[in-house]
Amino acid sequence: MSKFIAIDLDTQGIFAIAGTTRGGQTKLEQAVAWDGTDGEPPPQLSTETARRIGEQLRDRLRAAGVGMAPAIVSVPRERVILKELRYPAVAPSEEPAVVRFQAMKELTDAPEELVLDYAPLSNGSPDGERRSMAVAVRKELYAAIQAMCAAAGIKLVGVSPRPYAIASGVTRSLATGTIPRPDNPTDAVAVLSLAPAGGEFTVVHNGEVTFTRSVPGPVASSETMLLTEVRRNLTMYAGANPAHPVQALYIAEAGGRWAARLQPALGIPVHEYDPLGESLPTVPEAFRGRFAGAAGLLAGQSLESLPINFVTPRQPRAEVDPKRNQMLIGALAALLLLGVGGLWGYLKLKAADDELAELQQLKTSKDEEVAALEPDIKRLNAAKQWKGRGVNLLDELFDMTDRFPDTPGMYASAWGYKAIAPDTKTAKQEAQGSLEVKLSAQATDSVNRLLTALDRDNVNPKNKFYIAADKTVVGPTQSDPNAKDYTVTTKVTNRPPDLYNRFPTFSAPGRKNYPPAPGTTTTKEKDAGEGEQAPRPKDKSTIGE
């Protein structure tokens, strides 16, 4: 939590608030008004009066129990120069220089006599044009503020125009709901602050100051003239910003004196705005509205950023012989870099040498381990080669049973396997064995489906599991004059166990009257001869003995 003293330099006095800010929250603790009510009013601030004003301000702050803290100061609208600028979109690092150049072209004062800052405005131009509000204060006034704070024994950390301070205060009050909100949070609203010697009219849109004018002293003391002035300002703003008219007017006061008198004459809602809110209830109503600038400074400082701050402006300030400072900084950086680089290089080389020696030692130990394992590797490779020359007959028998066609009148009578020896010269094998199935079938298509099923299992054309699958007709079978005996042969290659991926479900066939004796027929086969085929067992395959 940070403590600050917010000082508003009014034309007829000085109004200060001591408070703390933290994470967007503000706590007002003490308020000090110096306007001549209890004695002589402060003189107009200038370089000649700054020291005397600062000393008396210090005494008044101490008398009110305000401890020393950094100060932020607001200056009236009539003592600053505002200019809305338009310029092409540039990089953020180049924008301050572009704004300063554009502002100095349009201002009549000499650049060396001004302290300039700017606040970007919301844009949306399709051609990429940007807008900013440039704000300048004369160096004479800025120097007087510095001298006043030095005499008061407080550190100056911010100087901002009062319209921007009041806008920060109203924006925060709208966000917290301490004053009535417009129907749309993005609507433009106007703020009117009044004092016996004059006041200010400011329009705020999306938290930005888009329009501000001073209200002369005689106008502030006459209801008719004030109403005319407010209408004129509303009309001027609406002419320049027709898309965002003012939807509500807030008057910095307590008690609603001016709000009740202006509400019937204006076509927009008019509300009172007490800048002190529920804090500092002992401050009289007549003075509460005059603390709008000081309270707004604390509200803006709570966000750790004032829109305009002449102490730390956005635009770069001129420096004495910047090239010399750059060369000096570059030389020091080069020396530092050379020293650090040399030390870093030495350490990196030493670490690399140590790592290389460790890796060489590790390589030697790994080579020794590989040499010791060489006989085991040869034996393992020989075992793999020997294993690769065999065929898993149980899996082959299982798969053959699954792919055997479930066709009436077709059954197998024998299943045989013969190993194929490797070539004596090259030790190569086209296949590891030869498989032979003897079967009987009434139709050749059934045998062809078996061959097709064998060929379908060759999922990898470069590594076929079955080679040269074919059938041979042996002759008519003795048990069935309509059937023929066949011999299906194929060469079989070694297949890893995980590639036997058939998972059928079947039960063993019945062995009664199977195979049928030569010259005999069953009742079911007789029925099949009359128009039906004899039914097969319920399992998918029939393997004969």
Side-chain angles (χ1 to χ4, degrees):
M1 183 173 292
S2 302
K3 185 173 183 178
F4 296 94
I5 300 175
I7 302 172
D8 183 26
L9 299 178
D10 193 88
T11 54
Q12 287 188 326
I14 294 178
F15 296 85
I17 298 178
T20 55
T21 63
R22 180 180 182 181
Q25 301 296 321
T26 303
K27 181 180 179 181
L28 308 182
E29 298 177 349
Q30 292 106 0
V32 177
W34 180 15
D35 67 336
T37 304
D38 56 350
E40 183 180 355
Q44 186 74 17
L45 179 64
S46 65
T47 54
E48 292 77 15
T49 62
R51 181 179 180 83
R52 179 159 55 93
I53 293 175
E55 292 173 349
Q56 295 184 35
L57 178 62
R58 176 193 59 198
D59 296 339
R60 287 178 175 271
L61 292 175
R62 288 179 179 175
V66 179
M68 294 296 99
I72 43 181
V73 180
S74 68
V75 294
R77 165 66 181 87
E78 63 267 16
R79 306 201 69 175
V80 297
I81 305 169
L82 289 88
K83 191 69 176 179
E84 182 177 337
L85 304 176
R86 296 177 181 269
Y87 50 91
V90 295
S93 60
E94 301 176 3
E95 188 178 63
V98 173
V99 171
R100 182 177 180 82
F101 175 77
Q102 188 74 12
M104 291 309 172
K105 285 200 311 179
E106 301 190 19
L107 297 178
T108 58
D109 298 78
E112 60 272 10
E113 297 178 356
L114 300 174
V115 179
L116 187 141
D117 196 5
Y118 74 97
L121 298 176
S122 297
N123 298 280
S125 176
D127 56 359
E129 186 181 61
R130 297 189 59 82
R131 298 187 305 123
S132 291
M133 184 69 74
V135 187
V137 64
R138 290 181 173 80
K139 286 187 177 179
E140 181 181 0
L141 176 60
Y142 181 73
I145 295 174
Q146 289 179 313
M148 178 191 71
C149 292
I154 51 182
K155 179 182 178 182
L156 181 64
V157 296
V159 177
S160 186
R162 184 189 296 151
Y164 282 86
I166 294 177
S168 297
V170 170
T171 301
R172 181 176 177 275
S173 297
L174 289 173
T176 57
T178 56
I179 58 177
R181 302 175 182 174
D183 295 337
N184 191 335
T186 62
D187 286 342
V189 298
V191 186
L192 178 63
S193 60
L194 297 174
E200 293 166 353
F201 179 89
T202 302
V203 177
V204 183
H205 180 226
N206 288 332
E208 302 172 354
V209 175
T210 56
F211 179 86
T212 179
R213 284 175 59 86
S214 298
V215 177
V219 173
S221 59
S222 169
E223 179 179 349
T224 303
M225 296 177 64
L226 180 61
L227 179 59
T228 303
E229 181 71 15
V230 171
R231 286 175 172 170
R232 181 186 300 114
N233 290 336
L234 290 173
T235 302
M236 292 177 61
Y237 169 78
N241 301 271
H244 304 287
V246 173
Q247 300 297 327
L249 173 64
Y250 298 89
I251 301 179
E253 62 176 355
R257 169 175 170 265
W258 281 110
R261 294 163 67 179
L262 295 182
Q263 172 67 69
L266 297 176
I268 59 175
V270 180
H271 309 285
E272 74 170 57
Y273 161 53
D274 184 359
L276 300 182
E278 297 180 356
S279 304
L280 308 175
T282 59
V283 177
E285 288 187 357
F287 286 101
R288 298 181 74 84
R290 302 184 68 178
F291 283 95
L297 286 174
L298 291 175
Q301 188 65 35
S302 67
L303 301 176
E304 300 181 357
S305 175
L306 292 170
I308 297 292
N309 189 350
F310 295 116
V311 176
T312 56
R314 286 184 175 86
Q315 76 276 10
R317 293 183 177 181
E319 298 181 0
V320 179
D321 197 3
K323 292 184 178 180
R324 177 184 176 184
N325 294 340
Q326 293 175 0
M327 293 176 62
L328 179 61
I329 294 174
L332 292 176
L335 290 175
L336 179 62
L337 182 62
L338 182 62
V340 173
L343 177 61
W344 179 82
Y346 171 76
L347 295 176
K348 291 294 287 183
L349 286 176
K350 186 176 182 305
D353 291 340
D354 295 341
E355 184 180 3
L356 179 60
E358 183 180 353
L359 291 175
Q360 288 177 341
Q361 183 178 1
L362 180 62
K363 179 179 180 300
T364 301
S365 64
K366 294 299 182 182
D367 290 342
E368 293 175 353
E369 292 179 6
V370 171
L373 294 174
E374 189 69 27
D376 293 337
I377 294 175
K378 291 181 178 179
R379 286 192 291 270
L380 180 60
N381 291 337
K384 289 181 179 180
Q385 184 178 6
W386 176 82
K387 186 178 179 181
R389 290 179 177 175
V391 175
N392 194 323
L393 296 181
L394 290 178
D395 283 333
E396 289 293 341
L397 179 59
F398 188 89
D399 284 7
M400 183 61 74
T401 304
D402 181 44
R403 69 171 68 96
F404 199 85
D406 187 7
T407 303
M410 179 177 177
Y411 60 89
S413 59
W415 187 89
Y417 172 80
K418 181 179 180 182
I420 300 177
D423 187 271
T424 56
K425 295 182 179 180
T426 62
K428 294 183 179 180
Q429 289 178 292
E430 179 187 15
Q432 278 65 53
S434 175
L435 184 64
E436 180 182 86
V437 179
K438 294 183 178 181
L439 53 89
S440 296
Q442 294 180 354
T444 306
D445 290 345
S446 301
V447 183
N448 291 337
R449 284 201 299 272
L450 178 60
L451 295 176
T452 301
L454 286 171
D455 186 64
R456 191 182 299 116
D457 283 351
N458 289 328
V459 294
N460 188 350
K462 296 183 179 180
N463 187 17
K464 294 184 177 182
F465 300 139
Y466 301 102
I467 302 173
D470 201 358
K471 66 179 183 296
T472 303
V473 180
V474 178
T477 179
Q478 298 178 2
S479 59
D480 187 353
N482 296 323
K484 293 182 181 180
D485 290 336
Y486 296 86
T487 300
V488 175
T489 59
T490 182
K491 295 180 180 179
V492 187
T493 61
N494 177 269
R495 189 191 316 189
D498 58 326
L499 295 184
Y500 286 96
N501 48 22
R502 287 179 175 270
F503 300 98
T505 56
F506 55 84
S507 59
R511 300 177 57 85
K512 185 177 181 180
N513 299 324
Y514 184 84
T520 63
T521 57
T522 64
T523 303
K524 292 184 179 180
E525 289 173 340
K526 290 179 179 179
D527 295 337
E530 296 176 359
E532 296 183 359
Q533 291 182 338
R536 292 280 308 208
K538 294 182 180 180
D539 59 309
K540 284 189 175 181
S541 62
T542 303
I543 304 299
E545 296 180 350

